[in-house]
């Protein structure tokens, strides 16, 4: 017989605080932060060695935002707080429930936060969720009341006695903030940044190393928040209207795998004359199953695709010529972020150069390299646990098992910490051979413009026209600056000059005249950024403090019962700290 599920005594009257782990993040400290594991997805795992050419940005804790938007109780969200800011929040408000979301590497921070909750809010219920819930024995490490694995929305709704069958409300938020490249901070005006869109969680493909798949039940399991193309289209219309966007970053492990939903969305976009741009994750086999006409019609302009490695065991790459697929996508203006793994079972010190060369020969616009890491909860982890090859946490701290440093197990063919250098070599060789990712991205965008600028369908022309508009000005200036920066590197200088010549030829005299002005500004900002980074300058995300509608209503009711006073009710985002810190 199943145990009865817990329900908080205050039900929907319970005041909830949701929080990500505290910063700073890009430093080595006692709580598990690591300087080589910053809170910057691209700079951490994709453009890691590209210095001032690296794409720098921060992404919100979207899972916590999803939960906050779907709880009919006063719910507050504290995202990227400092430790002092977290303590301040515990002291200022009497929360009944504190939920903390984290990845496994941040177990030390979660432990500290639980201790602080017990100190300042001894009667509060502590709930832990996110990828850290995959970690076995977590209940013995952190002082929490509940550890939630899987669908946090459903669990919280049950816990506060809310309607578990209520429709899913999508949060309104942009995909990134504080974006920076070449030392230049990008504009953050409405429409300049893609909105986040989360149609599903989990992944039915279920690769043996995938933590996300493991978190939501493993191979074959996933949760669709929006089952049909109609539902998804309605959500996108609402986001478009309220955030004034025309692009969406789709946080779904394999969006195009849900073919019926995707094709219905295409029909609705065509009927509604929507020229949206979609940034998606997709396996190679799935994206190859669509025609290019369908892919372009959906507005797919960016694909994050697993390449894994030559002779990969993964079915999602079977019988797929990934080189041809990447070229085909790029020829149609679709940027590709390839993802490759270092340290798979067949990798050795003798063949690793060949493995790396194969990966970078794809010449993707961006390339992620990660160590083959058995994360808790995954089949790969259980395999290594069974054969006794996992390092004990006393030998290898869990905070270091983030995929950008060392193996957390004994590899059969790679030993002595060689993997760290192999990983760095992969990033460096990709950068040295293929150049800055920004230049590759611009090259691909130019190809797309040239192919579709006179396309018969105005909806498609409009999409490419909006997407490539910066080519005439800022992107041309960026190429000018890169050409000057690489003037002593003949292969890269030649690439930059050829690309700049092609931009001039395409966009004419106006672009040719304005480019050196923009380029000179970007060149000097690039040089200043290089000096800044050479002095160990660190970027940290801003912290956010937000309230859902139930929290605003509750505060309004409380205020009406007391002497009128100035309140914090100034909108959803109450305040935000500076985005950059220096240590």
């Amino acid at each position: 017989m199943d145990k009865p599920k817990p329900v908080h005594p205050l039900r929907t009257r319970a005041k909830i605080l949701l929080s990500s782990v505290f910063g700073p993040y890009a430093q080595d400290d006692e709580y598990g932060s690591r300087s080589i594991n910053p809170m910057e997805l691209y700079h951490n795992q994709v453009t890691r060695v590209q210095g001032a050419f690296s794409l720098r940005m921060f992404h919100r804790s979207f899972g916590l935002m999803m939960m906050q938007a779907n709880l009919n109780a006063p719910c507050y969200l504290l995202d990227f707080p400092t430790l002092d800011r977290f303590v301040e929040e515990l002291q200022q408000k009497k929360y009944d429930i504190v939920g903390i979301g984290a990845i496994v590497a941040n177990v030390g921070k979660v432990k500290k936060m639980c201790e602080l909750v017990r100190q300042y809010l001894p009667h509060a219920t502590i709930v832990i969720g996110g990828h850290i819930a995959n970690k076995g024995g977590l209940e013995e490490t952190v002082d929490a009341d509940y550890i939630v694995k899987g669908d946090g929305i459903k669990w919280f709704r049950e816990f506060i006695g809310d309607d578990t069958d209520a429709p899913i409300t999508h949060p309104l938020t942009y995909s990134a903030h504080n974006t920076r490249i070449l030392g230049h901070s990008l504009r953050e005006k409405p429409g300049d940044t893609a909105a986040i869109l989360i149609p599903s969680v989990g992944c039915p493909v279920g690769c043996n190393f995938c933590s996300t798949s493991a978190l939501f039940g493993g191979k074959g399991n996933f949760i669709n928040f929006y089952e049909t193309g109609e539902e998804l289209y309605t959500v996108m219309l609402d986001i478009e209207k309220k955030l004034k966007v025309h692009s969406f970053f789709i946080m779904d492990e394999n969006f195009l795998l849900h073919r019926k939903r995707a094709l219905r969305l295409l029909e609705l976009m065509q009927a509604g004359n929507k020229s949206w741009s979609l940034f998606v994750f997709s396996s190679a086999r799935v994206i190859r199953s669509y025609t290019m006409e369908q892919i372009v019609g959906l507005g797919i302009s960016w694909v994050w695709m697993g390449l894994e490695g030559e002779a990969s065991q993964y079915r999602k790459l079977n019988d797929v010529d990934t080189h041809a697929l990447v070229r085909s996508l790029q020829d149609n203006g679709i940027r590709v972020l390839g993802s490759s793994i270092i340290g798979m079972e067949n990798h050795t010190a003798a063949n690793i150069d060949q493995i790396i060369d194969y990966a970078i020969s794809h010449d993707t616009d961006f390339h992620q390299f990660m160590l083959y890491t058995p994360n808790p909860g995954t089949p790969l982890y259980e395999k290594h646990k069974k054969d006794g090859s996992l390092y004990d946490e006393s030998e290898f701290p869990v905070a270091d098992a983030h995929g950008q440093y060392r193996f957390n197990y004994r590899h059969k063919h790679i030993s002595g910490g060689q993997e760290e250098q192999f990983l760095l070599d992969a990033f460096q060789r990709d950068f040295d051979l293929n150049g800055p990712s920004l230049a590759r991205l611009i090259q691909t965008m130019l190809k797309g413009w040239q192919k579709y600028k006179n396309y018969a369908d105005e909806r498609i022309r409009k999409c490419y026209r909006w997407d490539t508009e910066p080519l005439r000005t800022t992107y041309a200036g960026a190429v000018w600056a890169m050409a000057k920066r690489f003037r002593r590197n003949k292969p890269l200088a030649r690439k930059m000059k050829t690309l700049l010549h092609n931009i001039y030829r395409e966009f004419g005299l106006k672009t040719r005249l304005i480019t050196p002005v923009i380029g000179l500004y970007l060149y000097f900002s690039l040089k200043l950024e290089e000096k800044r980074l050479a002095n160990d300058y660190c970027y940290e995300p801003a912290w956010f403090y937000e309230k859902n509608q139930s929290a605003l209503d509750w505060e309004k009711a409380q205020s009406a019962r007391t002497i009128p006073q100035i309140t914090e009710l100034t909108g959803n985002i109450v305040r935000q700290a500076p985005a950059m810190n220096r240590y």
Side-chain angles (χ1 to χ4, degrees):
M1 181 180 294
D2 293 336
K3 290 182 180 180
K5 294 183 179 177
V7 178
H8 195 279
L10 291 177
R11 302 176 78 84
T12 56
R13 291 181 291 113
K15 292 190 292 299
I16 303 168
L17 172 66
L18 300 177
S19 181
S20 59
V21 297
F22 61 86
Y25 307 97
Q27 67 173 28
D28 298 317
D29 67 20
E30 62 184 299
Y31 301 114
S33 284
R34 295 292 185 263
S35 57
I36 65 169
N37 190 32
M39 190 66 76
E40 298 175 86
L41 175 61
Y42 285 88
H43 183 63
N44 183 337
Q45 302 175 9
V46 183
T47 55
R48 178 174 167 181
V49 304
Q50 295 191 26
F53 301 99
S54 183
L55 182 59
R56 315 292 295 258
M57 64 173 67
F58 298 101
H59 305 278
R60 293 293 307 278
S61 299
F62 301 123
L64 296 180
M65 298 183 79
M66 268 305 262
M67 285 192 290
Q68 184 191 37
N70 285 280
L71 298 181
N72 186 30
C75 188
Y76 300 73
L77 173 57
L78 189 56
D79 210 2
F80 309 127
T82 62
L83 186 57
D84 288 343
R85 180 63 187 85
F86 182 69
V87 170
E88 177 188 0
E89 190 62 24
L90 299 181
Q91 291 174 320
Q92 287 183 348
K93 285 191 175 66
K94 293 184 178 181
Y95 291 104
D96 304 298
I97 304 169
V98 178
I100 302 169
I103 60 174
V104 176
N106 284 323
V107 64
K109 293 195 171 190
V110 173
K111 182 175 185 292
K112 178 63 176 179
M113 294 172 79
C114 289
E115 292 170 356
L116 290 169
V117 176
R118 294 299 187 214
Q119 178 182 346
Y120 293 103
L121 297 172
H123 301 295
T125 299
I126 301 177
V127 183
I128 306 299
H131 287 286
I132 195 172
N134 277 332
K135 187 180 187 302
L138 182 62
E139 65 280 356
E140 299 169 7
T141 305
V142 302
D143 183 11
D145 297 290
Y146 300 103
I147 296 170
V148 178
K149 186 175 179 179
D151 187 352
I153 296 174
K154 182 178 180 181
W155 188 93
F156 258 106
R157 280 177 167 178
E158 290 178 341
F159 187 54
I160 63 173
D162 207 352
D163 181 6
T164 58
D165 295 323
I168 295 296
T169 298
H170 202 286
L172 299 172
T173 186
Y174 297 107
S175 60
H177 61 279
N178 298 116
T179 304
R180 187 177 180 86
I181 195 165
L182 303 183
H184 172 70
S185 295
L186 274 61
R187 297 185 308 170
E188 296 194 352
K189 293 167 58 180
D192 285 348
T193 305
I196 204 69
L197 180 65
I198 308 175
S200 314
V201 290
C203 182
V205 175
C207 295
N208 67 338
F209 58 82
C210 181
S211 297
T212 303
S213 177
L215 187 64
F216 292 95
K219 187 177 181 66
N221 292 288
F222 59 94
I223 299 167
N224 272 342
F225 293 131
Y226 307 104
E227 292 282 352
T228 67
E230 283 83 0
E231 290 176 295
L232 200 56
Y233 183 70
T234 300
V235 170
M236 294 169 77
L237 286 175
D238 185 56
I239 294 173
E240 176 194 44
K241 179 180 178 181
K242 292 177 179 175
L243 292 184
K244 303 187 186 307
V245 297
H246 33 68
S247 58
F248 298 85
F249 194 106
I250 301 181
M251 291 291 294
D252 187 306
E253 290 290 319
N254 212 333
F255 172 69
L256 295 173
L257 190 61
H258 305 280
R259 187 178 183 86
K260 183 177 179 181
R261 183 177 65 185
L263 293 180
R264 180 56 180 152
L265 176 63
L266 171 58
E267 292 175 351
L268 293 168
M269 287 174 62
Q270 291 170 332
N273 197 31
K274 292 298 180 184
S275 299
W276 290 331
S277 289
L278 308 186
F279 308 153
V280 305
F281 295 84
S282 178
S283 61
R285 285 191 67 186
V286 169
I287 199 162
R288 198 188 63 168
S289 71
Y290 287 76
T291 67
M292 189 55 68
E293 183 180 10
Q294 290 169 330
I295 292 170
V296 170
L298 275 165
I300 292 173
S301 58
W302 184 299
V303 177
W304 191 314
M305 182 170 63
L307 300 175
E308 320 310 3
E310 194 172 12
S312 166
Q313 63 176 299
Y314 298 104
R315 183 174 175 268
K316 63 184 181 180
L317 293 171
N318 285 356
D319 304 319
V320 179
D321 182 344
T322 51
H323 287 90
L325 179 58
V326 169
R327 286 195 300 272
S328 175
L329 292 168
Q330 291 175 325
D331 286 344
N332 285 273
I334 299 165
R335 284 81 82 192
V336 180
L337 194 161
S339 180
S340 295
I341 296 174
I342 301 295
M344 296 179 74
E345 288 91 342
N346 64 320
H347 292 184
T348 69
N351 69 18
I352 197 66
D353 284 343
Q354 177 186 341
I355 299 296
I356 293 171
D357 287 343
Y358 174 81
I360 65 178
S361 68
H362 287 82
D363 194 12
T364 54
D365 302 86
F366 293 83
H367 210 124
Q368 178 192 43
F369 292 97
M370 292 287 285
L371 292 179
Y372 197 41
T373 302
N375 289 311
T378 64
L380 184 62
Y381 183 90
E382 293 304 316
K383 172 183 175 294
H384 283 282
K385 183 178 179 181
K386 185 177 180 179
D387 67 23
S389 59
L390 284 174
Y391 287 123
D392 186 85
E393 289 182 21
S394 62
E395 299 176 84
F396 190 86
V398 67
D400 289 320
H402 49 70
Q404 287 293 315
Y405 173 46
R406 298 276 295 277
F407 294 135
N408 60 344
Y409 63 100
R410 296 171 186 84
H411 195 285
K412 287 184 178 180
H413 308 296
I414 299 173
S415 60
Q418 294 173 296
E419 67 272 25
E420 182 180 9
Q421 191 58 52
F422 293 156
L423 190 66
L424 289 171
D425 286 347
F427 282 115
Q428 193 64 54
R429 285 157 62 181
D430 178 54
F431 182 47
D432 291 343
L433 180 65
N434 297 321
S437 288
L438 177 60
R440 299 181 232 172
L441 173 146
I442 292 170
Q443 175 68 57
T444 298
M445 293 175 72
L446 181 61
K447 288 180 181 179
W449 166 255
Q450 290 171 330
K451 184 165 185 176
Y452 289 97
K453 62 182 178 181
N454 297 317
Y455 196 65
D457 188 340
E458 165 61 20
R459 187 179 71 89
I460 303 300
R461 292 202 309 275
K462 183 179 177 182
C463 182
Y464 278 87
R465 186 165 60 245
W466 171 82
D467 200 30
T468 60
E469 186 63 30
L471 288 174
R472 303 170 185 271
T473 52
T474 52
Y475 283 176
V479 177
W480 189 97
M482 287 187 282
K484 184 173 177 62
R485 175 63 180 79
F486 288 117
R487 61 189 179 277
R488 293 185 180 88
N489 183 324
K490 289 185 178 180
L492 288 183
R494 188 162 49 249
K495 272 190 174 185
M496 299 305 123
K497 288 179 180 179
T498 299
L499 176 56
L500 188 58
H501 172 75
N502 291 337
I503 292 173
Y504 286 163
R505 186 172 60 183
E506 186 63 37
F507 297 110
L509 182 61
K510 186 176 180 181
T511 294
R512 187 183 291 270
L513 291 174
I514 198 172
T515 291
V517 178
I518 298 172
L520 196 60
Y521 161 76
L522 289 175
Y523 176 73
F524 282 114
S525 70
L526 166 65
K527 298 295 286 183
L528 286 172
E529 182 78 345
E530 288 179 330
K531 289 181 180 179
R532 192 179 291 121
L533 296 176
N535 290 322
D536 298 325
Y537 197 90
C538 295
Y539 290 96
E540 291 288 334
W543 59 260
F544 294 81
Y545 181 53
E546 299 169 348
K547 310 171 184 182
N548 68 357
Q549 189 59 49
S550 294
L552 294 172
D553 292 342
W554 180 83
E555 289 189 4
K556 185 176 181 180
Q558 292 298 111
S559 179
R561 297 192 188 102
T562 60
I563 298 173
Q565 55 186 321
I566 298 175
T567 71
E568 291 181 314
L569 306 184
T570 57
N572 190 31
I573 297 180
V574 178
R575 53 185 180 268
Q576 178 177 327
M580 295 178 287
N581 295 319
R582 187 177 184 179
Y583 311 125

